[in-house]
Amino acid sequence: MLVKSGAKLLDFGLAKLQAADTPTNLSALPTEQANLTAEGTILGTLQYMAPEQLEAKEADSRTDIFAFGAVVYEMATGKKAFEGSSQASLIAAIMGQEPRAMSELQPMMPALFDRVVNRCLAKDPDNRWQTSSDLHDELKWIAKSDSTTMRPGAGETTGIHRIGQRVMWVALACLMIGGVVASLAVWNLKPSSALTATVSLGIALPVDHLLTGNISAISPDGTRMAYAAFKDGQSQLYLRTLDEFEARPIPGTEGAENPVFSPGGQWIAFFVKDQGELQKVSLQGGPPLTICGGVGLGTGATWASEDLIIFSPDIASGLMQVSAGGGTPQPLTSPDASQGEIGHWWPQILPNGEDVLFTVDTGQTGEEARIAILSLATGKWRTLISGSVRAQYAASGHLVYTQSGSLLAVPFDAAEQELTGSPVPILEGLYSSWTAAGGHFALSNKGSLIYAIGPSAQKRLVWVDRKGQVTRFTEHHANYYYPRFSPDGKFVAVNEEDQIWIYNVESGRRLRLTLEARNYVPAWTPDGEAVTFGSYRLGSVNLYLKKISGNDPAELLLERPNRQYPMSWFREGGSLLFAERLSSSGGDVWVLHQEGDSDPSPVLQGPFNERRARLSPDGRWLAYVSDESGQDEVYVRPYPGPGTKLPISAGGGEDPIWSADGRELFYLSKNQVVAVNVATTDVSLQADKPHALFEGQFIGNFCCGASYDISPDGQQFLMIQQDGTGPSQINVVLNWFEELKR
């Protein structure tokens, strides 16, 4: 296999090519080598060969089932299924002898499991399990059986019984990932034995789960894993115990991302960016509890002790600490804008409980980021590693971190806080749903590693008509967010990664509008000559404006300590509606009056999280999202008021957008685009019953605003479609620290 670092030699086991169709033109026939798995050829490891292989007959999938049975037999008993003092005697044993019953070697081994393995080892392929799915179903049934053959008698020790179940679960996990890990064969499973071999497993994700967030989490003892995934357009946390076969959703965690386990493993903390909160939930049951508000994207957390959480609330923020029981966060670090620092991310507590690893982001490429270490006692910090992100400490005496999508490890003296060796690459191609995240991996205190492999999530812009028919807007693929039509519909401003780009709708040509810092959520000025956006610089997220023609630098419109994002401009009067997030009330809506150079005025301000505001084309009505009912819903109220608000959505709603003529209001409800016909007068608004236009797996909203828009004629939606399905599994490596020690 050719990879970025060069060539790699990989062992695929036995591979069999399907015969290609014979060309009608005989001169087009390629020069072919003999089929290596055809009759007359012996390939493989003798110890695990099936009789048909030894007889040089053609192998098929049932041959793999024989090898699987031989490996599981050895796992369960510590003995090989077939033995011989020479190759000849070993072949004779495989061809003519039956292995001893596993229950003879391990008396507490379930009899039903013995029967399953014996059928795998049948001499005649027709007498074996015919498919791996049949074998999978049988193992799963036995593992969950209540039969008395699965339980020890009263007063008997349960150690061997638990080992028998453990072997079944691991065997089933091996079968689910489509192969047998060679290192499993060295296990000598006795009650007092400790696992010293490195074991790799693949945890298959449900087909409708798309990994979101930037990390998964593994419990300190390495037995449970939590991850966030999109399903039906909604993200949620899922818990997977490694000896179970299905992940279960954690109730109440809709919209959650970036989970982290408590030191005891009984709680999980997570970010809910739409609610602007850091929350926690008990794995014993019960609803999530709010720890604190005032968070945005939530760029990492570490549960430092049972009563202390250190976290990064947003991209343009320093580290903060808060009581795990809830309270007001206290700052620990502050990014130094004079040094090009945008934010401090991904904190990880060291074992001494006194020092914290974190990432210093500069708003440029990942090569400009660096890993630092903070002393909680003094508040001082210094750089450890340049050009890297997301470090975690491994008890083997290493720092594990990511660099350009690769996982590396470097020896580290935790007492002296010094690197003691050179970094070594471990894995390449880590999956990331966001390029600045650094990659999808986590470590447990007991030496387990979890990670996901795959290209970073890529998306494409698509046209969707009112009936849900999809056509491509452009062939270009990128990590898109927040598309916005210009007032005349000739151009589209959109986020690609951290910058604003402008697309010509007719030609498809594009140009890059912003060049520095991180810039998000474009909003066109009424004349279509400039774009406003939120920019991560000067230690916060402030409002900037940049013309689409010429080379003038971006103009600072508003500088405040809280984060701001533009929503929409007034058609008349030169005023801008924008959102601001506060720790006390979540999201608020303000208006910036350009004329007269006055201070911003609050429009929606209160105890609820109010955001995603859009002004109607006539400037008289304000559509927005609020969680005052307990869930996000769309409301309309007169602007500037006074007047009574009118609920628009029912059963949840997000990201309202007015049609250009003001006669329709659109919003998202899970994976549906919903339309509402409206009729307005100078003093009233009437809204019809909402009706769904279409549904699909589109990226509808993200953090700070709608990730869709509608054309000025009201007939075409510009939406973002996920390109690909993301990783199909999360990989688990047990006892991984043993590899690092070597």
Side-chain angles (χ1 to χ4, degrees):
M1 300 291 289
L2 297 180
V3 296
K4 290 181 180 179
S5 61
K8 285 183 176 288
L9 179 63
L10 306 179
D11 177 13
F12 291 95
L14 290 179
K16 180 178 179 180
L17 291 175
Q18 293 183 343
D21 293 334
T22 303
T24 57
N25 179 7
L26 294 182
S27 65
L29 281 170
T31 302
E32 295 186 25
Q33 296 181 351
N35 186 349
L36 292 180
T37 57
E39 292 187 18
T41 305
I42 298 179
L43 288 174
T45 305
L46 191 61
Q47 184 68 57
Y48 307 101
M49 281 188 180
E52 62 267 27
Q53 288 178 282
L54 298 176
E55 293 181 316
K57 295 180 179 179
E58 186 172 359
D60 58 25
S61 59
R62 296 172 298 179
T63 306
D64 291 334
I65 290 176
F66 183 97
F68 176 82
V71 172
V72 172
Y73 183 100
E74 192 170 342
M75 288 168 53
T77 65
K79 300 289 185 180
K80 292 180 172 58
F82 306 98
E83 295 183 310
S85 57
S86 64
Q87 287 191 355
S89 60
L90 178 57
I91 291 174
I94 295 173
M95 297 295 297
Q97 296 180 12
E98 298 295 334
R100 292 177 60 188
M102 292 191 297
S103 56
E104 293 181 19
L105 301 172
Q106 293 282 13
M108 298 306 298
M109 185 62 61
L112 293 176
F113 189 49
D114 212 347
R115 184 185 70 85
V116 170
V117 174
N118 284 341
R119 186 168 175 182
C120 291
L121 297 175
K123 309 299 183 186
D124 187 343
D126 290 339
N127 294 331
R128 295 177 205 145
W129 301 100
Q130 296 300 291
T131 67
S132 59
S133 62
D134 293 339
L135 178 53
H136 168 273
D137 293 343
E138 186 72 5
L139 284 170
K140 190 172 183 180
W141 176 79
I142 294 175
K144 294 184 176 180
S145 174
D146 290 329
S147 168
T148 55
T149 60
M150 297 287 290
R151 297 193 297 266
E156 295 177 346
T157 178
T158 62
I160 300 293
H161 168 65
R162 286 196 297 267
I163 289 173
Q165 285 189 317
R166 182 185 186 188
V167 171
M168 279 186 290
W169 285 116
V170 175
L172 187 47
C174 293
L175 190 62
M176 290 173 69
I177 64 173
V180 180
V181 180
S183 60
L184 293 177
V186 304
W187 282 17
N188 186 5
L189 294 177
K190 297 179 180 179
S192 60
S193 66
L195 178 62
T196 58
T198 299
V199 178
S200 299
L201 302 173
I203 303 297
L205 294 170
V207 293
D208 55 357
H209 280 197
L210 173 64
L211 283 180
T212 185
N214 307 311
I215 57 173
S216 294
I218 188 167
S219 61
D221 63 4
T223 63
R224 289 182 289 187
M225 175 180 68
Y227 65 88
F230 273 112
K231 180 181 180 182
D232 297 330
Q234 174 70 57
S235 68
Q236 186 166 13
L237 289 187
Y238 293 84
L239 182 69
R240 172 70 181 263
T241 302
L242 297 187
D243 63 355
E244 295 178 348
F245 289 95
E246 293 181 358
R248 58 179 176 87
I250 302 177
T253 60
E254 292 80 7
E257 292 191 6
N258 298 342
V260 58
F261 279 91
S262 66
Q266 300 304 310
W267 291 81
I268 291 178
F270 54 90
F271 295 96
V272 186
K273 59 177 181 281
D274 283 343
Q275 297 180 28
E277 293 182 345
L278 176 66
Q279 299 181 1
K280 67 177 182 179
V281 64
S282 172
L283 298 183
Q284 306 302 314
L289 305 174
T290 298
I291 297 173
C292 65
V295 306
L297 284 177
T299 47
T302 182
W303 205 313
S305 67
E306 290 295 343
D307 191 45
L308 179 64
I309 295 176
I310 298 172
F311 68 103
S312 174
D314 205 355
I315 291 178
S317 66
L319 301 182
M320 307 192 80
Q321 64 180 4
V322 66
S323 168
T328 301
Q330 301 298 319
L332 288 176
T333 66
S334 179
D336 187 347
S338 67
Q339 299 298 315
E341 297 175 14
I342 297 295
H344 296 164
W345 305 351
W346 311 123
Q348 287 291 327
I349 193 73
L350 286 175
N352 61 12
E354 299 175 355
D355 301 291
V356 179
L357 300 167
F358 67 97
T359 296
V360 180
D361 174 60
T362 62
Q364 305 300 317
T365 65
E367 296 176 357
E368 300 295 329
R370 55 189 184 271
I371 293 169
I373 186 169
L374 164 72
S375 169
L376 295 178
T378 66
K380 296 181 178 181
W381 59 269
R382 61 186 176 87
T383 298
L384 282 176
I385 306 172
S386 298
S388 303
V389 298
R390 279 206 60 216
Q392 288 191 253
Y393 178 74
S396 57
H398 293 78
L399 290 186
V400 181
Y401 59 96
T402 68
Q403 186 179 85
S404 301
S406 296
L407 190 68
L408 296 91
V410 62
F412 177 69
D413 187 328
E416 299 296 329
Q417 299 181 358
E418 297 289 347
L419 305 180
T420 60
S422 300
V424 176
I426 303 298
L427 292 167
E428 293 182 348
L430 286 178
Y431 171 74
S432 177
S433 61
W434 176 40
T435 53
H440 212 104
F441 83 97
L443 302 175
S444 78
N445 296 341
K446 300 297 184 180
S448 297
L449 164 70
I450 62 173
Y451 65 95
I453 294 292
S456 296
Q458 294 293 299
K459 306 172 181 69
R460 59 176 178 162
L461 290 169
V462 295
W463 292 111
V464 186
D465 67 19
R466 296 175 73 97
K467 294 182 179 180
Q469 295 297 313
V470 178
T471 56
R472 290 194 177 189
F473 174 80
T474 176
E475 296 295 325
H476 184 67
H477 290 71
N479 206 19
Y480 291 112
Y481 293 106
Y482 315 120
R484 299 290 185 268
F485 281 104
S486 61
D488 59 9
K490 294 181 178 180
F491 299 95
V492 169
V494 64
N495 263 112
E496 291 187 27
E497 302 294 353
D498 306 336
Q499 303 299 332
I500 310 295
W501 291 72
I502 306 296
Y503 278 81
N504 185 303
V505 173
E506 182 177 351
S507 67
R509 291 193 297 268
R510 66 189 186 121
L511 63 87
R512 181 169 173 170
L513 182 67
T514 60
L515 301 172
E516 58 184 357
R518 284 200 166 97
N519 308 290
Y520 293 92
V521 197
W524 291 88
T525 55
D527 58 12
E529 294 182 358
V531 173
T532 316
F533 49 89
S535 185
Y536 292 92
R537 59 181 95 184
L538 302 178
S540 184
V541 185
N542 297 135
L543 297 178
Y544 282 76
L545 179 145
K546 184 173 173 58
K547 293 182 178 180
I548 64 172
S549 61
N551 297 317
D552 294 340
E555 173 190 354
L556 176 64
L557 295 181
L558 180 66
E559 182 180 354
R560 285 154 70 98
N562 301 304
R563 291 168 285 117
Q564 309 113 39
Y565 304 97
M567 295 290 99
S568 60
W569 283 86
F570 290 58
R571 285 189 175 180
E572 305 291 339
S575 297
L576 173 65
L577 206 65
F578 69 93
E580 184 172 64
R581 189 176 293 279
L582 304 172
S583 59
S584 58
S585 59
D588 291 335
V589 178
W590 294 70
V591 61
L592 175 65
H593 303 285
Q594 290 293 89
E595 295 182 356
D597 196 27
S598 60
D599 291 333
S601 303
V603 177
L604 296 171
Q605 190 177 36
F608 303 112
N609 191 12
E610 296 158 326
R611 60 202 188 280
R612 313 289 172 89
R614 291 292 186 97
L615 198 66
S616 63
D618 62 9
R620 294 174 177 171
W621 302 94
L622 186 69
Y624 64 97
V625 175
S626 175
D627 63 357
E628 60 187 85
S629 69
Q631 67 176 351
D632 289 337
E633 299 284 3
V634 176
Y635 298 86
V636 170
R637 63 186 301 169
Y639 181 83
T644 303
K645 63 179 177 291
L646 175 69
I648 298 296
S649 64
E654 279 277 7
D655 298 318
I657 296 179
W658 296 91
S659 64
D661 59 11
R663 295 178 180 178
E664 284 185 290
L665 183 62
F666 307 95
Y667 66 88
L668 302 179
S669 181
K670 296 185 178 178
N671 59 344
Q672 292 183 328
V673 173
V674 180
V676 179
N677 296 322
V678 296
T680 63
T681 67
D682 291 343
V683 295
S684 66
L685 179 145
Q686 291 183 334
D688 290 347
K689 183 179 179 180
H691 59 279
L693 293 180
F694 59 88
E695 63 179 277
Q697 297 299 321
F698 302 106
I699 307 298
N701 61 77
F702 180 77
C703 177
C704 311
S707 275
Y708 78 104
D709 204 1
I710 187 165
S711 60
D713 65 6
Q715 299 304 307
Q716 294 280 341
F717 292 84
L718 187 60
M719 307 200 74
I720 297 172
Q721 193 172 56
Q722 183 77 34
D723 184 27
T725 58
S728 61
Q729 69 179 32
I730 295 177
N731 302 289
V732 182
V733 185
L734 307 178
N735 212 37
W736 183 63
F737 291 174
E738 292 299 316
E739 288 292 327
L740 291 181
K741 292 176 182 178
R742 300 191 183 103

